[in-house]
Amino acid sequence: MPRGTKVPAEIAAVCEANVDVALIEKHWDSLVHLAASVMSGHASAVAALARFGSAAQGDPIYEAGVQLGRLLRTAFLADYFVKDAFRNELRRVLNRGEAVNALKRAIYTGRISPAQAKRVDEMQAVADALSLMANIVMAWNTSQMQAVLDRWSNRRQVIPPELIGKIAPTRLESINLRGVFRFPVDRYADQILPSRPNASITGTNG
């Protein structure tokens, strides 16, 4: 809470009046200028953090940023505790993110050998491949969900939009993640092996 503010007895045990609003006001223009530089691309976020990060303790702009962060966290916590709709929506978003992580854990199987994923580009490739597979699953689920909604709409069964917004395409019950994938290589032989357009290539299992 801002300094000088009397803390109500009901929340005194978990609150401190230690936000220096005067310091924020004094350096507000500098904070806005710094944010505008990052947003406009004149300075990267990495450069801004390197210049005004924790290593810049004692710098007036850094200290003003710390106070602003405390003020914003205070406003966020106040909204979280007193606004039911805000709290429920935040929980829904967090649960949605955790559902995506659970989906990725279900897709990923086995372990990467010590000889793999040592370099940054290799680790990035593994992470990107897993994200791609998760996105494919969610895209398929979304198309199936939309097909069901379309059928219900044709039957004049109205589904409230607020209910649809709570359904995430991260379920796995209808997907066999441990099945056999068949790739019709022969269908694309000319594109895959242009130097052997007449080669006879059979389907490959993976």
Side-chain angles (χ1 to χ4, degrees):
M1 297 182 64
R3 291 180 181 176
T5 303
K6 184 178 180 181
V7 180
E10 294 82 2
I11 59 175
V14 294
C15 289
E16 293 183 11
N18 62 351
V19 178
D20 192 346
V21 178
L23 186 61
I24 299 174
E25 294 176 347
K26 182 178 180 180
H27 297 285
W28 178 254
D29 290 343
S30 297
L31 292 171
V32 172
H33 179 75
L34 177 61
S37 297
V38 174
M39 295 183 66
S40 63
H42 287 82
S44 68
V46 174
L49 288 174
R51 172 64 179 84
F52 298 104
S54 57
Q57 292 185 18
D59 186 290
I61 297 179
Y62 168 83
E63 297 299 337
V66 170
Q67 299 303 316
L68 179 60
R70 290 177 178 175
L71 185 61
L72 292 175
R73 287 197 300 272
T74 299
F76 174 86
L77 288 173
D79 287 339
Y80 182 85
F81 285 121
V82 303
K83 296 181 178 179
D84 291 340
F86 177 78
R87 183 168 60 253
N88 291 336
E89 180 65 15
L90 182 61
R91 288 176 175 173
R92 185 185 69 82
V93 172
L94 292 174
N95 288 337
R96 185 71 55 85
E98 182 53 37
V100 174
N101 291 332
L103 172 62
K104 290 183 177 181
R105 287 193 293 270
I107 293 174
Y108 178 79
T109 180
R111 292 183 178 274
I112 300 174
S113 66
Q116 295 177 312
K118 286 186 176 181
R119 301 196 311 267
V120 174
D121 58 332
E122 291 177 337
M123 291 188 289
Q124 188 64 51
V126 172
D128 290 345
L130 183 57
S131 295
L132 176 61
M133 290 299 298
N135 289 337
I136 290 174
V137 171
M138 288 188 287
W140 189 87
N141 280 339
T142 300
S143 67
Q144 298 303 307
M145 291 164 57
Q146 186 61 53
V148 172
L149 291 176
D150 291 341
R151 288 199 299 270
W152 287 354
S153 177
N154 293 334
R155 300 171 185 170
R156 297 184 179 181
Q157 292 178 267
V158 180
I159 308 300
E162 58 273 16
L163 179 59
I164 296 176
K166 296 180 179 179
I167 303 175
T170 53
R171 308 299 300 182
L172 290 168
E173 287 80 0
S174 59
I175 300 175
N176 179 13
L177 295 175
R178 303 295 177 258
V180 176
F181 295 91
R182 299 183 182 276
F183 301 95
V185 179
D186 54 325
R187 187 185 306 172
Y188 305 100
D190 293 346
Q191 294 87 346
I192 297 174
L193 298 173
S195 63
R196 301 175 59 191
N198 297 322
S200 177
I201 304 176
T202 58
T204 301
N205 295 340

